[in-house]
Amino acid sequence: MFLHLSYRADPGNPWFSWQYVRDNSDTILAALREHTWLTARAVVIAALVALPLAVLAYWFRSLSASILAVTGVLYTVPSLALFAFLAPYLGIGAITVLTVVALYALLVIVRNALAGLNQVPPEVREAAEGMGYGRWGRLFRIELPLALPGILTGVRLATVSTVALVTVGVVVGRGGLGQLIFAGFQNNFYKAQIMTGTVLCVLLALVLDLVLAGAGRLLTPWLRGRSAR
């Protein structure tokens, strides 16, 4: 839907053009909104699946290797192959994009969340047991809060990689800024269009990472006090 853009011929074909940005601002903003929305939904879906998997791997050590192996295999599958495999079943649209990018984010979040849970000191768990906390009470009151830095690290890494991967959704017509980049190649290698989509992808990844870093500082005030000392 982003292929038909107004284009002013430029013999120099510069890598950046304010004229292009002004003429196509509505299309650019629509692509940016779609890219942001797809990224946010995919990361939330991945986190909702990955955190329970990490808890299972933490509670039942025999499952840890299997969970990491399955998510690792999914991570190694080429994205285009996964799109091609899922598209006939899920259709051409946002659902396919969300499924693919969420599957790729699983490994990063599971691995970091599990590492965070494993770093909870044994004496803290024993003290919680002595205070009468059961398994669920320890998880929600003690272990998950202490594992939060590791979980947030996984979410940040997953978010940045998802911003990049969403562009591949162009193969099913829902690539956000990827639509701009791909259309630029189709439009006689229109450099300004390609560069605009690329720069916005990089800026979106940086902004989302900074937002999550700031949220992490707010949610883990004890780490700020430790670094100050």
Side-chain angles (χ1 to χ4, degrees), residues 53-76:
L53 290 176
V55 171
L56 282 176
Y58 175 63
W59 279 350
F60 306 101
R61 303 294 178 173
S62 58
L63 296 177
S64 178
S66 298
I67 290 173
L68 291 175
V70 171
T71 55
V73 168
L74 291 172
Y75 192 79
T76 60

Side-chain angles (χ1 to χ4, degrees), residues 28-43 155-167 175-178 180-181 195-213:
I28 294 170
L29 289 175
L32 180 60
R33 283 194 297 268
E34 181 183 54
H35 205 110
T36 305
W37 184 229
L38 286 171
T39 299
R41 283 190 290 174
V43 173
V155 172
R156 288 176 63 186
L157 292 172
T159 300
V160 172
S161 63
T162 298
V163 170
L165 190 58
V166 165
T167 59
L177 294 167
L180 291 180
I181 298 171
M195 181 59 70
T196 299
T198 303
V199 169
L200 286 176
C201 277
V202 174
L203 291 177
L204 179 60
L206 289 174
V207 168
L208 292 179
D209 187 58
L210 289 173
V211 169
L212 290 172

Side-chain angles (χ1 to χ4, degrees):
M1 61 180 173
F2 300 121
L3 298 183
H4 302 290
L5 303 174
S6 59
Y7 169 59
R8 176 173 295 182
D10 182 359
N13 192 15
W15 278 108
F16 185 77
S17 169
W18 282 115
Q19 184 67 46
Y20 165 78
V21 174
R22 285 193 297 268
D23 291 347
N24 300 282
S25 58
D26 290 341
T27 299
I28 294 170
L29 289 175
L32 180 60
R33 283 194 297 268
E34 181 183 54
H35 205 110
T36 305
W37 184 229
L38 286 171
T39 299
R41 283 190 290 174
V43 173
V44 169
I45 292 169
L48 290 175
V49 176
L51 289 179
L53 290 176
V55 171
L56 282 176
Y58 175 63
W59 279 350
F60 306 101
R61 303 294 178 173
S62 58
L63 296 177
S64 178
S66 298
I67 290 173
L68 291 175
V70 171
T71 55
V73 168
L74 291 172
Y75 192 79
T76 60
V77 176
S79 57
L80 288 177
L82 198 53
F83 272 110
F85 176 76
L86 293 177
Y89 303 99
L90 300 179
I92 304 299
I95 294 178
T96 301
V97 177
L98 290 172
T99 302
V100 170
V101 296
L103 287 174
Y104 277 103
L106 285 179
L107 175 65
V108 178
I109 300 178
V110 168
R111 181 177 291 173
N112 283 276
L114 181 58
L117 288 168
N118 285 330
Q119 288 174 359
V120 176
E123 57 270 20
V124 173
R125 291 196 295 268
E126 293 171 2
E129 291 176 4
M131 295 173 64
Y133 285 108
R135 170 174 282 183
W136 290 101
R138 289 199 312 273
L139 178 67
F140 288 107
R141 300 290 298 276
I142 307 296
E143 293 164 335
L144 281 179
L146 291 178
L148 195 56
I151 295 172
L152 289 173
T153 297
V155 172
R156 288 176 63 186
L157 292 172
T159 300
V160 172
S161 63
T162 298
V163 170
L165 190 58
V166 165
T167 59
V168 186
V170 68
V171 299
V172 292
R174 295 299 294 270
L177 294 167
Q179 301 291 135
L180 291 180
I181 298 171
F182 182 70
F185 282 102
Q186 288 189 318
N187 195 8
N188 295 320
F189 195 68
Y190 189 12
K191 294 178 180 178
Q193 187 172 353
I194 297 169
M195 181 59 70
T196 299
T198 303
V199 169
L200 286 176
C201 277
V202 174
L203 291 177
L204 179 60
L206 289 174
V207 168
L208 292 179
D209 187 58
L210 289 173
V211 169
L212 290 172
R217 287 180 62 83
L218 292 175
L219 293 172
T220 56
W222 62 89
L223 292 181
R224 296 202 304 271
R226 183 185 305 172
S227 61
R229 290 195 297 271

